Amino acid sequence: FIAQLHGVPLTVGQMIVVAMTSTLAAVGAAAIPSAGLVTMVMVLQSAGLDAYVSDLGIIFTIDWALDRARTTVNVLGDCLGAGIVQHLC
């Protein structure tokens, strides 16, 4: 989104780096509140878009609501997993 906002075309290599970095960062930061902003900085730096890190303020405005939704899904998944384990054991 930030690259498109500034009209910066991403190469195939940069898209692969963004996908891999995003996936690895998401796995490691699922339980940390507002970790998406920190991982976004890592993704931008890995794709060579360091100059646009200041644009995270745009994303920060909607991240609050998205973080609540991610937390709800995470807690629901944990509850369902615990219920299934309890039922089977």
Side-chain angles (χ1 to χ4, degrees):
F1 170 76
I2 292 176
Q4 288 179 342
L5 180 69
H6 291 284
V8 177
L10 294 177
T11 65
V12 174
Q14 285 176 315
M15 287 189 239
I16 291 170
V17 167
V18 167
M20 291 177 61
T21 308
S22 299
T23 302
L24 292 173
V27 169
I32 303 170
S34 297
L37 296 175
V38 176
T39 57
M40 184 65 70
V41 172
M42 292 178 1
V43 170
L44 288 173
Q45 289 176 342
S46 67
L49 299 171
D50 295 344
Y52 307 116
V53 171
S54 62
D55 290 338
L56 288 179
I58 298 168
I59 295 173
F60 184 71
T61 57
I62 61 168
D63 189 60
W64 180 87
L66 291 175
D67 194 38
R68 291 342 181 237
R70 285 189 298 262
T71 300
T72 302
V73 171
N74 192 14
V75 170
L76 181 61
D78 291 346
C79 292
L80 289 173
I84 290 170
V85 169
Q86 193 268 338
H87 179 73
L88 295 175
C89 295

